[in-house]
Amino acid sequence: MADTTARDILLRQDEMEHERSGYEPVWEAVSEFCDPDGPDLWTHTNANRKTNQAERQDRRGSRVYDNTINSAANRLAAGLESLIIPQSEKWHGLSTDAIDDEETDEEKEWAEGLRDLLFKLRYSAVSNFVPATQSILRNVVRYGPGYLYAEESFGSSMIRYASIPVVEAYISRNRFGEVDTFHRKYEKPARVCAQLFGYDKLPAKIKALVDDPAKCDEKVGLVQAIMPRKERQLYRRGGMMEYLEAPFASYHVVEGEETIVKEANFRSFPVSVFNWRRYENDTYGISPTIEALTTVREINAVRRTGLRALQQVTDPATASRAELDFVPVLNPGQNYPGLIDDQGRQLLVPINAGQNPGPALEYATQRAEDIRDMLFVNLFQILIQNPQMTATEALIRQEEKGALLGPSGSIIQSGFATNLDRELDILEAKGLYAEDSIYLPPETLAGKAVRPTFTSPLDVLRKAAESRDADLLVMAAAQLAQASQDPSIMDNIDGDEYLRIKKEASRAPQRLLRRREEVEGLRKARAEAAKAQQGMAAMAAAGKLAKDAVPAAVAAKESG
């Protein structure tokens, strides 16, 4: 049974490699031009490729003459991190999954507590969340897809994260466009395979490598396949039917051996897939770097020509009437005897072909600016370029940033939403919602799912228009009430709703606001106190009236 499953996995791997082969030439060009300092990603596709760092730099140096795209991609990745998942902020909240559900204040406070726990786990020193997500954003900007793997940990972090390299990942999508099958093709030294999977589970060929001290570090090809289970058995538990197996299975197969060395189950899909933009029936998607690749090739060709012309100006070729015994290297301030004839004419003269590198280098500079625009670098430099900008102009520019980066930002956020489901599933298995847990949900949340509500700076930019328009409406109402001397106009403004709009457009914590029942209680007590005060004032007025009436009655009687 295991051999049949392993054989099917390897056949599926061949199909997925064939599908991805259409993307790899473009990714390789991106690696060459846009990530020249990184390691070779595609060495496995050509055994003759050089992997030595010095040789790799020499090979790339013969093709790469402009580093604009590399620096722009790094800036965009850093900008996306600051807009979508800033390390210094809580960039999402939690809400119920019901569309028509109005959350209570108790539910909101519970959701904030659970959110704080998630951020504490993510940003712990051992979770690897920050390096993994930074690597993913760089991959998304350069290649299009990025892969975040979240697995259960048994240390203080409880969850550990890893970024899967683009070169190792193969995916397949279901009819909804969701990734439900993930293959990872990777290599490990033989002795590491024994540590990961156990010596007894390794095939004989790999055991022989492990036992040989001279060969124990030889790499072994492996394929990890994560896929939905085709068949799942049901059983009855407490009057309800539940599945016996988890919905997703994971297998590690040794290439060439058709042997499964490890099998595992996942209750939720462990890999979250990120994209910059993806068209219909497009498995891996596209990146802004790929969109700029034609311009990148062009600017490298132009700059190469311009540099060649510049070299001909600064270090021109020379001509001589007769063949010289040697051609000296002309250093400034040095005397070269024998290079003039008896009449004082130079025997070695520079060849001036009229080279002018200026237009080529100027054109390359213009195209470099186009590349920065394609990767939105200028959006993050607005205030630097124009420090005299007014607050209104800065707000408009900020809204423009949100409008331009919003579509791709939403696609990236969907990956983090998938990762949240994975995180909550891991924590639930560890007893997050147990009866004695401080994170036990309120009874009103029974049967409801939890979803993220993003509150990153990008989302604040999206909501800035609603918040600004609410301010303008309240200001207009106040001005009209003052101008018309009619304060009743302000009765049209619901102060509580205005405050809620401002709260939703900000990242202020829910605990800053009192619960609605507390507010209603304060208002009721204030109204009762005011009513009692009015009653006491009325009684005092009646007493005073009665007191004044007695002398008046006496005086009237005496006068009558």
Side-chain angles (χ1 to χ4, degrees):
M1 179 66 179
D3 290 343
T4 302
T5 303
R7 189 178 303 112
D8 292 340
I9 288 173
L10 294 178
L11 289 174
R12 182 74 180 278
Q13 175 65 24
D14 291 339
E15 294 177 2
M16 298 173 80
E17 288 183 12
H18 176 72
E19 180 185 11
R20 206 189 73 171
S21 62
Y23 296 85
E24 292 180 1
V26 178
W27 291 349
E28 186 169 8
V30 170
S31 177
E32 288 288 329
F33 287 104
C34 310
D35 195 14
D37 300 324
D40 274 322
L41 294 179
W42 314 103
T43 305
H44 74 287
T45 62
N46 187 343
N48 296 323
R49 293 289 296 272
K50 299 175 181 178
T51 57
N52 178 273
Q53 179 71 15
E55 293 175 335
R56 185 165 62 245
Q57 284 295 318
D58 182 68
R59 170 169 52 82
R60 286 175 170 170
S62 64
R63 298 180 59 187
V64 179
Y65 293 85
D66 185 87
N67 198 42
T68 302
I69 187 65
N70 187 29
S71 61
N74 289 333
R75 283 176 176 268
L76 177 56
L80 290 174
E81 181 184 13
S82 67
L83 281 177
I84 299 176
I85 51 170
Q87 298 183 36
S88 60
E89 300 179 18
K90 306 289 179 60
W91 39 266
H92 78 78
L94 296 173
S95 180
T96 58
D97 202 28
I99 297 177
D100 58 346
D101 186 33
E102 185 174 356
E103 295 174 292
T104 65
D105 291 329
E106 182 185 10
E107 293 173 352
K108 291 179 179 179
E109 291 174 3
W110 171 83
E112 276 194 359
L114 180 55
R115 177 206 64 184
D116 293 345
L117 171 65
L118 289 170
F119 277 92
K120 180 180 179 180
L121 296 176
R122 288 178 190 140
Y123 290 100
S124 68
V126 294
S127 72
N128 199 50
F129 181 80
V130 172
T133 52
Q134 289 176 344
S135 176
I136 285 167
L137 291 176
R138 288 194 297 268
N139 288 338
V140 166
V141 168
R142 285 182 167 86
Y143 303 103
Y147 309 98
L148 179 63
Y149 183 80
E151 64 178 349
E152 182 179 6
S153 176
F154 296 94
S156 59
S157 67
M158 302 178 74
I159 305 174
R160 185 165 177 81
Y161 306 86
S163 172
I164 307 299
V166 174
V167 68
E168 296 181 358
Y170 301 82
I171 59 175
S172 179
R173 299 179 181 270
N174 60 21
R175 64 191 180 96
F176 300 109
E178 301 169 341
V179 175
D180 65 348
T181 302
F182 180 87
H183 281 207
R184 181 186 181 191
K185 187 175 182 179
Y186 65 105
E187 294 180 337
K188 291 291 183 183
R191 63 182 184 87
V192 175
C193 291
Q195 297 169 2
L196 290 173
F197 311 123
Y199 179 84
D200 294 336
K201 293 186 177 181
L202 298 178
K205 183 179 178 180
I206 310 304
K207 289 181 179 178
L209 294 177
V210 176
D211 295 335
D212 188 343
K215 298 181 178 180
C216 64
D217 283 321
E218 285 191 15
K219 297 294 183 65
V220 177
L222 298 160
V223 173
Q224 180 186 11
I226 304 172
M227 63 186 74
R229 287 193 178 275
K230 296 180 180 179
E231 297 180 359
R232 298 171 64 193
Q233 298 180 8
L234 286 168
Y235 74 103
R236 185 176 298 278
R237 179 181 179 184
M240 299 181 62
M241 298 300 294
E242 295 185 6
Y243 285 106
L244 186 62
E245 299 94 351
F248 297 98
S250 171
Y251 304 94
H252 291 260
V253 181
V254 178
E255 279 192 291
E257 296 292 326
E258 296 185 352
T259 302
I260 294 177
V261 293
K262 183 179 180 180
E263 181 177 351
N265 298 307
F266 292 113
R267 299 199 316 167
S268 56
F269 200 70
V271 181
S272 301
V273 180
F274 298 79
N275 289 101
W276 175 263
R277 188 170 69 250
R278 192 174 66 85
Y279 297 104
E280 293 294 331
N281 301 319
D282 182 7
T283 303
Y284 292 93
I286 196 171
S287 72
T289 301
I290 292 176
E291 292 177 328
L293 197 54
T294 300
T295 306
V296 171
R297 288 192 175 101
E298 176 187 344
I299 193 174
N300 273 274
V302 171
R303 192 170 288 277
R304 180 177 64 246
T305 302
L307 291 176
R308 185 182 300 152
L310 182 62
Q311 286 177 324
Q312 291 176 349
V313 172
T314 58
D315 188 15
T318 57
S320 60
R321 181 175 180 181
E323 183 175 352
L324 299 178
D325 294 334
F326 73 100
V327 178
V329 178
L330 303 178
N331 295 318
Q334 189 168 346
N335 178 52
Y336 293 93
L339 291 184
I340 58 174
D341 60 13
D342 296 337
Q343 286 76 34
R345 293 174 298 186
Q346 294 183 15
L347 300 180
L348 187 69
V349 296
I351 299 175
N352 185 1
Q355 294 87 355
N356 181 10
L361 297 179
E362 182 179 350
Y363 179 77
T365 301
Q366 294 174 356
R367 298 302 280 163
E369 192 66 23
D370 293 338
I371 290 176
R372 293 188 185 94
D373 285 336
M374 292 178 186
L375 271 74
F376 306 97
V377 172
N378 293 335
L379 282 178
F380 297 95
Q381 295 181 321
I382 291 171
L383 295 179
I384 298 176
Q385 295 171 348
N386 186 8
Q388 304 302 323
M389 185 180 298
T390 65
T392 303
E393 290 175 330
L395 180 60
I396 294 174
R397 294 297 187 185
Q398 288 288 82
E399 291 180 6
E400 179 185 6
K401 183 190 299 183
L404 292 175
L405 294 176
S408 297
S410 297
I411 298 174
I412 294 173
Q413 284 178 332
S414 68
F416 286 109
T418 303
N419 179 65
L420 174 65
D421 293 337
R422 172 64 178 158
E423 292 170 330
L424 293 177
D425 180 69
I426 292 175
L427 295 177
E428 183 179 359
K430 287 180 173 289
L432 177 67
Y433 305 139
E435 291 293 335
D436 58 346
S437 171
I438 61 174
Y439 299 102
L440 179 67
E443 294 182 358
T444 54
L445 286 177
K448 297 179 182 179
V450 175
R451 60 179 174 83
T453 54
F454 289 99
T455 57
S456 67
L458 182 61
D459 296 280
V460 173
L461 292 176
R462 291 174 180 148
K463 298 176 182 178
E466 181 182 14
S467 176
R468 185 194 63 235
D469 291 344
D471 291 338
L472 293 175
L473 179 61
V474 172
M475 188 182 303
Q479 292 174 349
L480 180 59
Q482 182 178 8
S484 62
Q485 299 296 315
D486 183 6
S488 64
I489 291 177
M490 296 302 296
D491 295 340
N492 291 283
I493 302 298
D494 186 339
D496 291 344
E497 186 63 28
Y498 173 74
L499 189 60
R500 280 191 287 271
I501 291 174
K502 301 297 289 185
K503 164 65 175 65
E504 292 175 359
S506 69
R507 294 184 293 276
Q510 176 64 30
R511 61 180 178 273
L512 183 64
L513 299 177
R514 288 191 174 96
R515 296 184 178 183
R516 292 188 179 183
E517 55 267 25
E518 293 181 22
V519 175
E520 292 174 358
L522 287 173
R523 289 175 175 174
K524 183 178 179 181
R526 190 180 299 116
E528 291 176 351
K531 184 177 180 181
Q533 185 69 26
Q534 291 176 356
M536 292 177 63
M539 292 176 61
K544 184 176 184 303
L545 180 63
K547 182 179 180 180
D548 293 341
V550 172
V554 172
K557 182 178 181 180
E558 291 176 352
S559 63

